[in-house]
Amino acid sequence: MRISLASIFVDDQNKAHKFYTDVLGFVTKMDIPMGGGKWLTVVSPEDPDGVQLVLEPNTNPAALAYQKAIFEQNIPATAFEVSDVHKEYERLTKLGVVFTKAPTEAGDVTLAVLDDTCGNLIQIYQMS
């Protein structure tokens, strides 16, 4: 058994796709029309056959309530590992990304939290 898909709710799939590819640097794995939405996944260019992140529409009221509640409580919806948090923070800040937490050491990890513009906070982290 292995994890092949992980989901994140987004308020707009097209906007999310643009942010996750053009800004964060992921690449599109699947983009299949399905009714009013899409089966839309992105992957790391470093591991194109690895775990796919599904950009799920938050049209379900339960999904929307969950997404809104964790955002308001400053809880990241997910986390992405990076090789250098400070470098990634600088790169993304130059691209206009808003961070709610600058790089911060927390034991064996350095982390930062950004707003993905689609209703989520995302943590980036680097292990020491």
Side-chain angles (χ1 to χ4, degrees), residues 9-11 58 62-72 118-120:
F9 295 111
V10 297
D11 59 11
N58 67 359
L64 182 58
Y66 168 78
Q67 181 186 30
K68 184 178 179 189
I70 64 170
F71 186 90
E72 289 174 353
C118 306
N120 303 292

Side-chain angles (χ1 to χ4, degrees), residues 12-125:
D12 180 306
Q13 284 185 302
N14 292 327
K15 180 174 70 170
H17 184 248
K18 185 171 179 52
F19 182 83
Y20 281 79
T21 56
D22 294 352
V23 178
L24 295 185
F26 291 107
V27 294
T28 306
K29 182 76 173 190
M30 293 189 199
D31 187 350
I32 303 167
M34 297 188 80
K38 306 176 193 184
W39 181 253
L40 181 59
T41 69
V42 295
V43 295
S44 168
E46 298 167 12
D47 191 9
D49 294 321
V51 176
Q52 296 177 57
L53 181 65
V54 183
L55 303 176
E56 297 264 10
N58 67 359
T59 53
N60 180 306
L64 182 58
Y66 168 78
Q67 181 186 30
K68 184 178 179 189
I70 64 170
F71 186 90
E72 289 174 353
Q73 293 176 37
N74 293 314
I75 299 171
T78 194
F80 303 134
E81 186 175 6
V82 296
S83 59
D84 186 328
V85 167
H86 294 282
K87 222 171 157 178
E88 198 64 18
Y89 175 82
E90 289 174 24
R91 180 184 80 81
L92 292 172
T93 299
K94 286 178 184 172
L95 292 173
V97 173
V98 174
F99 279 81
T100 61
K101 181 179 205 123
T104 304
E105 289 186 28
D108 291 338
V109 66
T110 303
L111 58 92
V113 178
L114 62 93
D115 184 331
D116 77 350
T117 74
C118 306
N120 303 292
L121 297 176
I122 305 295
Q123 178 176 289
I124 59 172
Y125 71 95

